[in-house]
């Protein structure tokens, strides 16, 4: 039974990870740009900000002075990826509609496959 539950969780996680993320329309001044085209201002670092369900990413960005936006997420999660300076990070954490502010980076997971016996 536990292997069946684990397999179901892993399949769901893989499906969510493979799902395309829609980008919202944002003003030209905040249009997402490719990582290779973006020069970070001194002191700014790449972050991913997760918002509470129903929160408006554009409003949060506008009210906290975030202008260096890479992506805006609206479907599976609400939030955005942006280059933030320490003051913007603090302003975001002070908001009740912000769930998480995390440094952006690569994540490597363990390979998923059948057990040694060939069964899940």
């Amino acid at each position: 039974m536990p292997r069946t539950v684990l397999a179901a969780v892993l399949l769901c996680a893989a499906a969510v990870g493979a799902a395309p993320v829609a980008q919202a329309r944002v003003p030209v001044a905040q249009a997402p740009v490719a990582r290779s085209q973006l020069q970070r201002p001194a002191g700014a670092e790449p972050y991913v900000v997760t918002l509470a369900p129903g929160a408006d990413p554009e409003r949060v960005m506008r009210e906290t002075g975030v202008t260096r936006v890479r992506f805006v997420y609206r479907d599976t999660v609400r939030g955005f990826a942006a280059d933030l300076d320490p003051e913007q990070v603090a302003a975001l954490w002070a908001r009740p509609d912000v769930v998480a502010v995390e440094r952006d980076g690569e994540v490597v997971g363990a390979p998923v496959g059948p057990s040694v016996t060939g069964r899940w």
Side-chain angles (χ1 to χ4, degrees):
M1 180 70 149
R3 287 185 180 177
T4 304
V5 172
L6 177 61
V9 169
L10 292 174
L11 287 173
C12 289
V16 169
V21 177
Q23 290 183 340
R25 293 185 190 137
V26 294
V28 175
Q30 294 180 349
V33 294
R35 190 177 292 238
S36 61
Q37 296 174 334
L38 188 60
Q39 293 290 328
R40 272 196 300 275
E45 297 292 333
Y47 282 86
V48 175
V49 179
T50 306
L51 303 175
D56 179 19
E58 283 85 8
R59 190 185 93 238
V60 172
M61 290 183 289
R62 184 177 56 253
E63 292 176 359
T64 55
V66 175
T67 59
R68 306 292 292 185
V69 180
R70 294 176 184 270
F71 300 101
V72 176
Y73 307 104
R74 291 190 162 277
D75 292 332
T76 306
V77 297
R78 287 199 170 268
F80 54 91
D83 289 332
L84 305 174
D85 61 39
E87 292 80 20
Q88 291 168 324
V89 172
L92 286 162
W93 272 121
R95 296 180 61 93
D97 52 356
V98 172
V99 174
V101 180
E102 304 170 284
R103 288 286 311 268
D104 194 3
E106 292 187 26
V107 178
V108 179
V112 178
S115 68
V116 176
T117 64
R119 296 175 13 177
W120 288 97

